[in-house]
Amino acid sequence: MVYFDSAATSWPKPPEVWQAMEHFIKEVGASPGRAGHRRTVEANQIVDETRQLLASLFNINDPERIVFTLNATDALNMAIKGLMSQGEHVITSSMEHNSVTRPLHTLESHGVQVTKIKCDRQGKIDLNQVEQAIRPNTRAIVLTHASNVVGTIMPVQDIGRIAAKHNIHFVLDAAQTAGILNIDVKRLNVSVLTFPGHKGLMGPQGTGGLFIREDVNLRTLREGGTGSGSETPTQPNIMPEKYESGTLNAVGIAGLGAGLKFLRRVGKEKIHQHEMGLTNRFIKGAESIGGLRIYGPLKDEERVPVVSFSLEGYKAGQVGDRLDKEFDIGCRAGLHCAPDAHHTLGTFENKLVRFSFSYFNTEAEVDYALKALRQIAAERPVTVLPAGR
Amino acid sequence: MVYFDSAATSWPKPPEVWQAMEHFIKEVGASPGRAGHRRTVEANQIVDETRQLLASLFNINDPERIVFTLNATDALNMAIKGLMSQGEHVITSSMEHNSVTRPLHTLESHGVQVTKIKCDRQGKIDLNQVEQAIRPNTRAIVLTHASNVVGTIMPVQDIGRIAAKHNIHFVLDAAQTAGILNIDVKRLNVSVLTFPGHKGLMGPQGTGGLFIREDVNLRTLREGGTGSGSETPTQPNIMPEKYESGTLNAVGIAGLGAGLKFLRRVGKEKIHQHEMGLTNRFIKGAESIGGLRIYGPLKDEERVPVVSFSLEGYKAGQVGDRLDKEFDIGCRAGLHCAPDAHHTLGTFENKLVRFSFSYFNTEAEVDYALKALRQIAAERPVTVLPAGR
């Protein structure tokens, strides 16, 4: 199969990811932080090493400010619900994934005020609108680093500057950028960074996390056994245990550590260059396909390797189905769990087909997909839907 | 290493567990429920099959009432916080793990009333006290199925009967019993069952879940992308998506499915018989070790294969350290994330050493540990601590 769905979860993983997991499950096995015996010590070391690799990647001083979670959604819920209180105000955008919009929607029913900045048709946010939306009770800006639908990169450096200027928190959702773009939490003035482990960081599913800056105190969403400070009925106020209740997915974290080492060995820049090369090849090749329209910005520096398009005469789902069944190309057609973004782009009705590229995709695969789309476009149903649909 | 820490996480796993994970990560890879292509369909099938195996194990009619979580702690937080509202009352015991006591403690600060039934020195609960604690505003009884410290099995059938009689919910924490004791949610009148995937069910870390009975509606603790019903700002009211936001740990769930098939193939009874055989062998052998005291009930039908003990003249941690360093025996010495239980047993000060046995442990390992303990007991420090400490 040609796999163009790495924005959902990257595949394949580098071989060392599975090797690290296999080693963990066969030779280590124990729960980190849960006893003093040799195996738990080794499990601890593996988890700590992964924390250090993440800290190094994101320019975080203290690895213990990094917390492992089930996935990025879990991390976003912990960040957003842990930070916001009744009567406070939060600013977000119309390009967010449901992992941001839905927790915020829940908070609205608990007296949190939410301002959603409407982005333009390319998914770009207006910094003036962000700054003008700030109120005396504004607590945070919660923003995606790049759209999971059309890849638009947000002006995070400017957002960080605005947040610092007004002394409000900046929660950055790096679901589509961790391991893909440079993220320096200090330079960007990020208060809380949330990330998946299984996309650009090349780890397995079931991994993700968040960085919580030293001056940020989140209420816990989940309490329980922490393996240390066990005497008290309250959660111990030590990092990272405060936010890591229950048994960690240590086998997954072992795999994530191997993914991070792969990133470091091959080089983030080289990987990014390859992925953007494929993105550009696809965009350029698609220009000559009649009825195919690419959404989002076209310039390299304005996007990540996630490309969405429509094909005249088709609903997105029909294209996705044909790509799968006739050409064995796996992509994602639909709303991409981001209905607001599709409303913003004007594609809520017909939806979009999304291709997302990884380091392991090839130019030949892109060319094959272009050929497939050219054929599907040529076979457009006779009864053409009204334009714009 | 002799691994006697399966109550924390079972090890080793049956080979088919990591084989299923290897297959998933190398050949499937995709996120279940996140697109329509072939790989996501296969990922769905694997996750669905695991759900069906769990449903069959726990006598659950509709597998879609089972939700996958990060771990049992995650599931307990979802159950307890999703169920209880301000002004309501909940009954629990003094033998609970911090994964129950800490979420309840958090809820107390939000106006939930908690009654903690004090158990006896063996960890047994008095049913009359439970029934007498019920108030007009009692919403639920939250109880462990068996103590993670001393293995005491709770009278869950009677608790279920009491809950049904008074029309209150029964939340059962099966952390130490899922895959080990028979759990029939109908027979036990369980409203919500929470379970880890990585202990008795033989799956990998990073797996766990909960069953939510048809008449139980939990508020969500985590909202986000669900892969279906993506149009709305509210979480879709469909099972299991309502409670499964973000990318599932599908590779872990694949392993859990293989663990469940192993359980079915070998037979839960055969596994249990083996584990109880080791437990009895240890208890019997320990009788003749001077200064060694076993806590909890001694009868087979009153305990699971988790045994805790003290050794006169030692703090538990000292024994654990010596077992690890001198004898390469991995166990767990300390509070076991259950301070209330240790207060109940009178062991909070000196703590306990816990051995927990799995199907893969052998009689020879038990005999070796008994020999080690005999030696440690004989080498008791000259300055003996006061009795009972």
Side-chain angles (χ1 to χ4, degrees), chain B residues 318-374:
Chain B
Q318 296 172 311
V319 179
D321 275 356
R322 290 199 58 180
L323 287 171
D324 173 43
K325 294 196 174 60
E326 295 170 36
F327 301 94
D328 204 21
I329 294 171
C331 63
R332 191 160 164 219
L335 287 178
H336 314 94
C337 294
D340 278 0
H342 280 274
H343 281 301
T344 306
L345 302 162
T347 54
F348 185 79
E349 193 64 35
N350 264 11
K351 307 181 175 62
L352 291 175
V353 183
R354 183 183 75 183
F355 281 5
S356 47
F357 305 106
S358 91
Y359 181 64
F360 298 101
N361 288 126
T362 62
E363 294 189 347
E365 289 178 328
V366 170
D367 294 346
Y368 172 71
L370 285 166
K371 201 175 149 196
L373 286 170
R374 207 174 301 277

Short mmCIF file of all heavy atoms in Angstrom, two decimals, chain B residues 318-374:
data_model
loop_
_atom_site.label_atom_id
_atom_site.label_comp_id
_atom_site.label_asym_id
_atom_site.label_seq_id
_atom_site.Cartn_x
_atom_site.Cartn_y
_atom_site.Cartn_z
N GLN B 318 14.32 -2.86 53.26
CA GLN B 318 15.61 -3.55 53.40
C GLN B 318 15.54 -4.96 52.84
O GLN B 318 16.48 -5.44 52.21
CB GLN B 318 15.99 -3.60 54.89
CG GLN B 318 16.22 -2.23 55.53
CD GLN B 318 16.41 -2.34 57.03
OE1 GLN B 318 15.62 -2.99 57.72
NE2 GLN B 318 17.44 -1.68 57.55
N VAL B 319 14.41 -5.62 53.10
CA VAL B 319 14.25 -6.99 52.58
C VAL B 319 14.18 -6.95 51.05
O VAL B 319 14.85 -7.75 50.37
CB VAL B 319 12.97 -7.64 53.16
CG1 VAL B 319 12.78 -9.04 52.60
CG2 VAL B 319 13.03 -7.67 54.70
N GLY B 320 13.39 -6.03 50.53
CA GLY B 320 13.27 -5.90 49.07
C GLY B 320 14.63 -5.66 48.41
O GLY B 320 14.96 -6.28 47.39
N ASP B 321 15.42 -4.79 49.03
CA ASP B 321 16.74 -4.49 48.49
C ASP B 321 17.64 -5.72 48.47
O ASP B 321 18.35 -5.98 47.50
CB ASP B 321 17.43 -3.41 49.35
CG ASP B 321 17.03 -2.02 48.93
OD1 ASP B 321 16.29 -1.89 47.93
OD2 ASP B 321 17.44 -1.06 49.62
N ARG B 322 17.62 -6.46 49.57
CA ARG B 322 18.49 -7.64 49.64
C ARG B 322 18.02 -8.71 48.64
O ARG B 322 18.84 -9.35 47.98
CB ARG B 322 18.51 -8.22 51.07
CG ARG B 322 19.26 -7.31 52.04
CD ARG B 322 19.67 -8.05 53.29
NE ARG B 322 20.52 -9.22 53.00
CZ ARG B 322 21.02 -10.04 53.92
NH1 ARG B 322 20.74 -9.81 55.20
NH2 ARG B 322 21.76 -11.06 53.59
N LEU B 323 16.71 -8.89 48.53
CA LEU B 323 16.19 -9.87 47.56
C LEU B 323 16.65 -9.51 46.16
O LEU B 323 17.03 -10.37 45.36
CB LEU B 323 14.66 -9.92 47.64
CG LEU B 323 14.09 -10.61 48.88
CD1 LEU B 323 12.57 -10.39 48.95
CD2 LEU B 323 14.38 -12.12 48.86
N ASP B 324 16.61 -8.23 45.87
CA ASP B 324 17.02 -7.76 44.52
C ASP B 324 18.52 -7.93 44.32
O ASP B 324 18.96 -8.60 43.38
CB ASP B 324 16.62 -6.30 44.35
CG ASP B 324 17.15 -5.70 43.05
OD1 ASP B 324 17.07 -6.38 42.01
OD2 ASP B 324 17.62 -4.55 43.08
N LYS B 325 19.29 -7.36 45.22
CA LYS B 325 20.73 -7.25 44.98
C LYS B 325 21.48 -8.55 45.20
O LYS B 325 22.42 -8.87 44.49
CB LYS B 325 21.34 -6.15 45.86
CG LYS B 325 20.80 -4.78 45.46
CD LYS B 325 21.62 -3.64 46.01
CE LYS B 325 21.10 -2.32 45.44
NZ LYS B 325 19.67 -2.05 45.77
N GLU B 326 21.05 -9.32 46.22
CA GLU B 326 21.80 -10.54 46.53
C GLU B 326 21.22 -11.78 45.86
O GLU B 326 21.92 -12.76 45.63
CB GLU B 326 21.84 -10.76 48.05
CG GLU B 326 22.62 -9.65 48.76
CD GLU B 326 22.46 -9.75 50.28
OE1 GLU B 326 22.38 -10.87 50.81
OE2 GLU B 326 22.38 -8.67 50.93
N PHE B 327 19.92 -11.74 45.58
CA PHE B 327 19.27 -12.97 45.09
C PHE B 327 18.61 -12.80 43.72
O PHE B 327 18.06 -13.75 43.18
CB PHE B 327 18.25 -13.45 46.12
CG PHE B 327 18.85 -13.75 47.46
CD1 PHE B 327 18.88 -12.79 48.48
CD2 PHE B 327 19.43 -15.00 47.71
CE1 PHE B 327 19.45 -13.07 49.71
CE2 PHE B 327 20.02 -15.27 48.94
CZ PHE B 327 20.03 -14.31 49.95
N ASP B 328 18.63 -11.58 43.20
CA ASP B 328 18.02 -11.29 41.88
C ASP B 328 16.53 -11.67 41.86
O ASP B 328 16.04 -12.25 40.88
CB ASP B 328 18.80 -12.02 40.77
CG ASP B 328 18.61 -11.32 39.43
OD1 ASP B 328 18.25 -10.12 39.41
OD2 ASP B 328 18.80 -11.99 38.39
N ILE B 329 15.88 -11.37 42.97
CA ILE B 329 14.42 -11.59 43.04
C ILE B 329 13.75 -10.22 43.01
O ILE B 329 14.03 -9.36 43.86
CB ILE B 329 14.04 -12.33 44.34
CG1 ILE B 329 14.63 -13.75 44.33
CG2 ILE B 329 12.52 -12.38 44.52
CD1 ILE B 329 14.49 -14.49 45.66
N GLY B 330 12.90 -9.99 42.03
CA GLY B 330 12.20 -8.71 41.90
C GLY B 330 10.82 -8.79 42.51
O GLY B 330 9.97 -9.59 42.08
N CYS B 331 10.58 -8.00 43.57
CA CYS B 331 9.27 -7.98 44.19
C CYS B 331 8.95 -6.52 44.47
O CYS B 331 9.56 -5.62 43.92
CB CYS B 331 9.26 -8.80 45.47
SG CYS B 331 10.38 -8.13 46.72
N ARG B 332 7.98 -6.27 45.34
CA ARG B 332 7.69 -4.87 45.63
C ARG B 332 7.53 -4.66 47.12
O ARG B 332 6.64 -5.24 47.73
CB ARG B 332 6.44 -4.41 44.87
CG ARG B 332 6.31 -2.92 44.97
CD ARG B 332 5.44 -2.36 43.89
NE ARG B 332 5.08 -1.01 44.27
CZ ARG B 332 3.92 -0.45 44.09
NH1 ARG B 332 2.96 -1.12 43.47
NH2 ARG B 332 3.68 0.77 44.47
N ALA B 333 8.40 -3.83 47.67
CA ALA B 333 8.36 -3.50 49.09
C ALA B 333 7.96 -2.05 49.23
O ALA B 333 8.46 -1.19 48.53
CB ALA B 333 9.74 -3.72 49.69
N GLY B 334 7.01 -1.78 50.14
CA GLY B 334 6.63 -0.39 50.35
C GLY B 334 5.15 -0.28 50.69
O GLY B 334 4.61 -1.15 51.38
N LEU B 335 4.52 0.77 50.19
CA LEU B 335 3.11 1.04 50.50
C LEU B 335 2.19 0.58 49.37
O LEU B 335 0.96 0.65 49.51
CB LEU B 335 2.90 2.53 50.76
CG LEU B 335 3.44 3.07 52.09
CD1 LEU B 335 3.18 4.58 52.18
CD2 LEU B 335 2.78 2.36 53.28
N HIS B 336 2.74 0.19 48.24
CA HIS B 336 1.95 -0.33 47.13
C HIS B 336 0.86 0.63 46.69
O HIS B 336 -0.24 0.21 46.29
CB HIS B 336 1.37 -1.71 47.50
CG HIS B 336 2.39 -2.61 48.12
ND1 HIS B 336 2.55 -2.70 49.49
CD2 HIS B 336 3.33 -3.40 47.57
CE1 HIS B 336 3.55 -3.53 49.75
NE2 HIS B 336 4.05 -3.96 48.61
N CYS B 337 1.16 1.93 46.79
CA CYS B 337 0.19 2.97 46.39
C CYS B 337 -1.16 2.78 47.09
O CYS B 337 -2.21 3.12 46.54
CB CYS B 337 -0.03 2.99 44.88
SG CYS B 337 1.43 3.50 43.96
N ALA B 338 -1.12 2.24 48.31
CA ALA B 338 -2.36 1.99 49.04
C ALA B 338 -2.15 2.29 50.53
O ALA B 338 -2.20 1.39 51.37
CB ALA B 338 -2.82 0.55 48.82
N PRO B 339 -1.90 3.57 50.88
CA PRO B 339 -1.61 3.90 52.28
C PRO B 339 -2.76 3.54 53.22
O PRO B 339 -2.51 3.07 54.34
CB PRO B 339 -1.36 5.41 52.24
CG PRO B 339 -2.02 5.88 50.98
CD PRO B 339 -1.89 4.76 50.02
N ASP B 340 -4.00 3.74 52.77
CA ASP B 340 -5.15 3.38 53.61
C ASP B 340 -5.13 1.91 53.98
O ASP B 340 -5.43 1.54 55.12
CB ASP B 340 -6.46 3.66 52.85
CG ASP B 340 -6.86 5.12 52.93
OD1 ASP B 340 -6.14 5.91 53.56
OD2 ASP B 340 -7.91 5.46 52.34
N ALA B 341 -4.79 1.08 53.01
CA ALA B 341 -4.75 -0.36 53.27
C ALA B 341 -3.70 -0.68 54.33
O ALA B 341 -3.93 -1.49 55.24
CB ALA B 341 -4.46 -1.13 51.98
N HIS B 342 -2.56 -0.04 54.24
CA HIS B 342 -1.50 -0.29 55.22
C HIS B 342 -1.90 0.24 56.61
O HIS B 342 -1.57 -0.39 57.62
CB HIS B 342 -0.17 0.31 54.75
CG HIS B 342 0.53 -0.55 53.74
ND1 HIS B 342 1.36 -1.58 54.10
CD2 HIS B 342 0.49 -0.56 52.39
CE1 HIS B 342 1.82 -2.18 53.00
NE2 HIS B 342 1.31 -1.57 51.96
N HIS B 343 -2.62 1.34 56.66
CA HIS B 343 -3.15 1.80 57.95
C HIS B 343 -4.11 0.75 58.52
O HIS B 343 -4.09 0.44 59.71
CB HIS B 343 -3.89 3.13 57.78
CG HIS B 343 -2.98 4.33 57.72
ND1 HIS B 343 -2.11 4.66 58.73
CD2 HIS B 343 -2.80 5.27 56.75
CE1 HIS B 343 -1.43 5.76 58.39
NE2 HIS B 343 -1.84 6.14 57.20
N THR B 344 -4.93 0.19 57.65
CA THR B 344 -5.91 -0.82 58.06
C THR B 344 -5.22 -2.07 58.61
O THR B 344 -5.63 -2.64 59.62
CB THR B 344 -6.80 -1.21 56.86
OG1 THR B 344 -7.36 -0.01 56.32
CG2 THR B 344 -7.90 -2.17 57.27
N LEU B 345 -4.16 -2.46 57.93
CA LEU B 345 -3.44 -3.68 58.32
C LEU B 345 -2.49 -3.43 59.48
O LEU B 345 -1.97 -4.38 60.07
CB LEU B 345 -2.62 -4.20 57.12
CG LEU B 345 -3.38 -4.52 55.84
CD1 LEU B 345 -2.43 -4.60 54.65
CD2 LEU B 345 -4.15 -5.83 55.99
N GLY B 346 -2.25 -2.15 59.80
CA GLY B 346 -1.29 -1.81 60.85
C GLY B 346 0.14 -1.90 60.38
O GLY B 346 1.06 -2.13 61.17
N THR B 347 0.37 -1.71 59.09
CA THR B 347 1.71 -1.88 58.54
C THR B 347 2.22 -0.61 57.86
O THR B 347 3.18 -0.65 57.08
CB THR B 347 1.69 -3.02 57.49
OG1 THR B 347 0.66 -2.73 56.52
CG2 THR B 347 1.40 -4.35 58.14
N PHE B 348 1.57 0.53 58.18
CA PHE B 348 1.95 1.77 57.51
C PHE B 348 3.40 2.15 57.82
O PHE B 348 4.12 2.66 56.98
CB PHE B 348 1.00 2.89 57.94
CG PHE B 348 1.25 4.18 57.21
CD1 PHE B 348 0.77 4.37 55.92
CD2 PHE B 348 1.96 5.22 57.81
CE1 PHE B 348 0.98 5.56 55.24
CE2 PHE B 348 2.18 6.43 57.13
CZ PHE B 348 1.70 6.59 55.84
N GLU B 349 3.80 1.90 59.05
CA GLU B 349 5.12 2.32 59.50
C GLU B 349 6.24 1.52 58.83
O GLU B 349 7.11 2.07 58.17
CB GLU B 349 5.20 2.19 61.02
CG GLU B 349 6.38 2.88 61.66
CD GLU B 349 6.33 4.40 61.48
OE1 GLU B 349 5.22 4.98 61.48
OE2 GLU B 349 7.42 4.97 61.32
N ASN B 350 6.16 0.21 59.00
CA ASN B 350 7.25 -0.65 58.49
C ASN B 350 7.04 -1.12 57.06
O ASN B 350 7.94 -1.69 56.47
CB ASN B 350 7.44 -1.86 59.40
CG ASN B 350 8.54 -1.63 60.41
OD1 ASN B 350 9.03 -0.51 60.56
ND2 ASN B 350 8.93 -2.68 61.11
N LYS B 351 5.82 -0.93 56.59
CA LYS B 351 5.46 -1.34 55.23
C LYS B 351 5.55 -2.87 55.07
O LYS B 351 5.77 -3.58 56.06
CB LYS B 351 6.31 -0.59 54.20
CG LYS B 351 6.25 0.95 54.42
CD LYS B 351 7.05 1.72 53.41
CE LYS B 351 6.89 3.22 53.56
NZ LYS B 351 7.34 3.78 54.85
N LEU B 352 5.34 -3.35 53.85
CA LEU B 352 5.38 -4.80 53.63
C LEU B 352 6.16 -5.13 52.37
O LEU B 352 6.36 -4.29 51.50
CB LEU B 352 3.95 -5.36 53.49
CG LEU B 352 3.06 -5.35 54.75
CD1 LEU B 352 1.65 -5.82 54.41
CD2 LEU B 352 3.65 -6.26 55.85
N VAL B 353 6.58 -6.40 52.33
CA VAL B 353 7.19 -6.94 51.11
C VAL B 353 6.10 -7.73 50.39
O VAL B 353 5.44 -8.56 51.00
CB VAL B 353 8.36 -7.89 51.43
CG1 VAL B 353 9.02 -8.38 50.14
CG2 VAL B 353 9.38 -7.21 52.34
N ARG B 354 5.91 -7.44 49.11
CA ARG B 354 4.85 -8.14 48.36
C ARG B 354 5.44 -9.03 47.28
O ARG B 354 6.25 -8.60 46.48
CB ARG B 354 3.92 -7.12 47.71
CG ARG B 354 2.75 -7.78 46.97
CD ARG B 354 1.87 -6.76 46.28
NE ARG B 354 2.50 -6.23 45.08
CZ ARG B 354 1.98 -5.28 44.32
NH1 ARG B 354 0.81 -4.73 44.65
NH2 ARG B 354 2.62 -4.85 43.24
N PHE B 355 4.99 -10.29 47.30
CA PHE B 355 5.26 -11.21 46.19
C PHE B 355 3.95 -11.38 45.42
O PHE B 355 2.90 -11.59 46.04
CB PHE B 355 5.69 -12.60 46.72
CG PHE B 355 7.13 -12.69 47.17
CD1 PHE B 355 7.96 -11.58 47.21
CD2 PHE B 355 7.65 -13.92 47.56
CE1 PHE B 355 9.28 -11.69 47.63
CE2 PHE B 355 8.97 -14.04 47.98
CZ PHE B 355 9.79 -12.92 48.01
N SER B 356 4.00 -11.32 44.12
CA SER B 356 2.80 -11.64 43.33
C SER B 356 3.22 -12.57 42.21
O SER B 356 4.23 -12.36 41.54
CB SER B 356 2.15 -10.36 42.80
OG SER B 356 3.09 -9.49 42.23
N PHE B 357 2.42 -13.62 42.05
CA PHE B 357 2.82 -14.74 41.19
C PHE B 357 2.05 -14.75 39.87
O PHE B 357 0.88 -14.35 39.84
CB PHE B 357 2.60 -16.06 41.92
CG PHE B 357 3.31 -16.12 43.25
CD1 PHE B 357 2.61 -16.01 44.44
CD2 PHE B 357 4.70 -16.25 43.28
CE1 PHE B 357 3.27 -16.05 45.66
CE2 PHE B 357 5.37 -16.29 44.51
CZ PHE B 357 4.65 -16.20 45.70
N SER B 358 2.71 -15.23 38.84
CA SER B 358 2.03 -15.36 37.55
C SER B 358 2.12 -16.81 37.07
O SER B 358 2.81 -17.64 37.66
CB SER B 358 2.66 -14.43 36.51
OG SER B 358 3.71 -15.09 35.81
N TYR B 359 1.43 -17.06 35.96
CA TYR B 359 1.42 -18.39 35.36
C TYR B 359 2.82 -18.87 34.99
O TYR B 359 3.09 -20.06 34.96
CB TYR B 359 0.53 -18.34 34.12
CG TYR B 359 0.39 -19.65 33.41
CD1 TYR B 359 -0.23 -20.74 34.03
CD2 TYR B 359 0.86 -19.83 32.10
CE1 TYR B 359 -0.37 -21.95 33.37
CE2 TYR B 359 0.73 -21.04 31.43
CZ TYR B 359 0.11 -22.10 32.08
OH TYR B 359 -0.03 -23.28 31.44
N PHE B 360 3.72 -17.91 34.75
CA PHE B 360 5.05 -18.27 34.27
C PHE B 360 6.05 -18.47 35.40
O PHE B 360 7.19 -18.83 35.16
CB PHE B 360 5.55 -17.23 33.27
CG PHE B 360 4.67 -17.14 32.05
CD1 PHE B 360 3.74 -16.11 31.92
CD2 PHE B 360 4.73 -18.11 31.07
CE1 PHE B 360 2.92 -16.04 30.81
CE2 PHE B 360 3.90 -18.05 29.96
CZ PHE B 360 2.99 -17.01 29.82
N ASN B 361 5.63 -18.23 36.63
CA ASN B 361 6.51 -18.55 37.76
C ASN B 361 6.48 -20.06 38.02
O ASN B 361 5.52 -20.75 37.65
CB ASN B 361 6.08 -17.79 39.02
CG ASN B 361 6.39 -16.31 38.93
OD1 ASN B 361 5.50 -15.47 39.12
ND2 ASN B 361 7.62 -15.96 38.65
N THR B 362 7.54 -20.53 38.68
CA THR B 362 7.66 -21.97 38.91
C THR B 362 7.80 -22.27 40.41
O THR B 362 8.14 -21.39 41.21
CB THR B 362 8.92 -22.54 38.22
OG1 THR B 362 10.07 -21.91 38.80
CG2 THR B 362 8.89 -22.26 36.72
N GLU B 363 7.57 -23.52 40.75
CA GLU B 363 7.76 -23.95 42.14
C GLU B 363 9.22 -23.77 42.56
O GLU B 363 9.50 -23.39 43.70
CB GLU B 363 7.35 -25.42 42.29
CG GLU B 363 5.85 -25.61 42.08
CD GLU B 363 5.39 -27.02 42.44
OE1 GLU B 363 6.27 -27.90 42.63
OE2 GLU B 363 4.17 -27.22 42.57
N ALA B 364 10.12 -24.00 41.61
CA ALA B 364 11.55 -23.85 41.93
C ALA B 364 11.85 -22.41 42.31
O ALA B 364 12.66 -22.15 43.22
CB ALA B 364 12.39 -24.27 40.72
N GLU B 365 11.21 -21.47 41.66
CA GLU B 365 11.43 -20.06 42.00
C GLU B 365 10.91 -19.75 43.41
O GLU B 365 11.55 -19.01 44.17
CB GLU B 365 10.74 -19.14 40.98
CG GLU B 365 11.42 -19.14 39.61
CD GLU B 365 10.70 -18.26 38.60
OE1 GLU B 365 9.45 -18.13 38.68
OE2 GLU B 365 11.37 -17.72 37.72
N VAL B 366 9.75 -20.33 43.74
CA VAL B 366 9.20 -20.13 45.08
C VAL B 366 10.16 -20.71 46.12
O VAL B 366 10.46 -20.05 47.14
CB VAL B 366 7.80 -20.76 45.21
CG1 VAL B 366 7.33 -20.77 46.66
CG2 VAL B 366 6.80 -20.02 44.32
N ASP B 367 10.66 -21.90 45.85
CA ASP B 367 11.57 -22.54 46.79
C ASP B 367 12.85 -21.72 46.96
O ASP B 367 13.38 -21.57 48.06
CB ASP B 367 11.92 -23.97 46.32
CG ASP B 367 10.69 -24.86 46.34
OD1 ASP B 367 9.68 -24.47 46.97
OD2 ASP B 367 10.72 -25.94 45.71
N TYR B 368 13.34 -21.18 45.84
CA TYR B 368 14.54 -20.35 45.87
C TYR B 368 14.29 -19.10 46.73
O TYR B 368 15.15 -18.71 47.55
CB TYR B 368 14.92 -19.98 44.44
CG TYR B 368 16.03 -18.97 44.32
CD1 TYR B 368 17.36 -19.30 44.63
CD2 TYR B 368 15.76 -17.66 43.91
CE1 TYR B 368 18.37 -18.36 44.52
CE2 TYR B 368 16.78 -16.72 43.79
CZ TYR B 368 18.07 -17.08 44.10
OH TYR B 368 19.08 -16.16 44.00
N ALA B 369 13.12 -18.50 46.58
CA ALA B 369 12.80 -17.29 47.36
C ALA B 369 12.68 -17.62 48.84
O ALA B 369 13.11 -16.84 49.70
CB ALA B 369 11.51 -16.67 46.84
N LEU B 370 12.10 -18.78 49.13
CA LEU B 370 11.97 -19.19 50.54
C LEU B 370 13.37 -19.36 51.15
O LEU B 370 13.62 -18.93 52.28
CB LEU B 370 11.18 -20.50 50.63
CG LEU B 370 9.67 -20.35 50.41
CD1 LEU B 370 9.02 -21.72 50.18
CD2 LEU B 370 9.00 -19.64 51.59
N LYS B 371 14.26 -19.95 50.38
CA LYS B 371 15.63 -20.15 50.84
C LYS B 371 16.30 -18.79 51.11
O LYS B 371 16.98 -18.59 52.12
CB LYS B 371 16.40 -20.94 49.78
CG LYS B 371 17.63 -21.64 50.29
CD LYS B 371 18.26 -22.49 49.19
CE LYS B 371 19.77 -22.54 49.39
NZ LYS B 371 20.49 -22.99 48.20
N ALA B 372 16.08 -17.87 50.18
CA ALA B 372 16.65 -16.54 50.32
C ALA B 372 16.12 -15.85 51.58
O ALA B 372 16.88 -15.26 52.37
CB ALA B 372 16.32 -15.70 49.09
N LEU B 373 14.82 -15.95 51.79
CA LEU B 373 14.21 -15.30 52.95
C LEU B 373 14.69 -15.94 54.25
O LEU B 373 14.89 -15.27 55.26
CB LEU B 373 12.68 -15.35 52.86
CG LEU B 373 12.07 -14.40 51.83
CD1 LEU B 373 10.59 -14.71 51.63
CD2 LEU B 373 12.26 -12.94 52.26
N ARG B 374 14.85 -17.25 54.20
CA ARG B 374 15.36 -17.96 55.38
C ARG B 374 16.75 -17.41 55.75
O ARG B 374 17.03 -17.13 56.91
CB ARG B 374 15.43 -19.47 55.08
CG ARG B 374 15.31 -20.38 56.29
CD ARG B 374 15.25 -21.86 55.87
NE ARG B 374 14.13 -22.17 54.98
CZ ARG B 374 12.90 -22.43 55.40
NH1 ARG B 374 12.61 -22.40 56.68
NH2 ARG B 374 11.94 -22.70 54.52
#
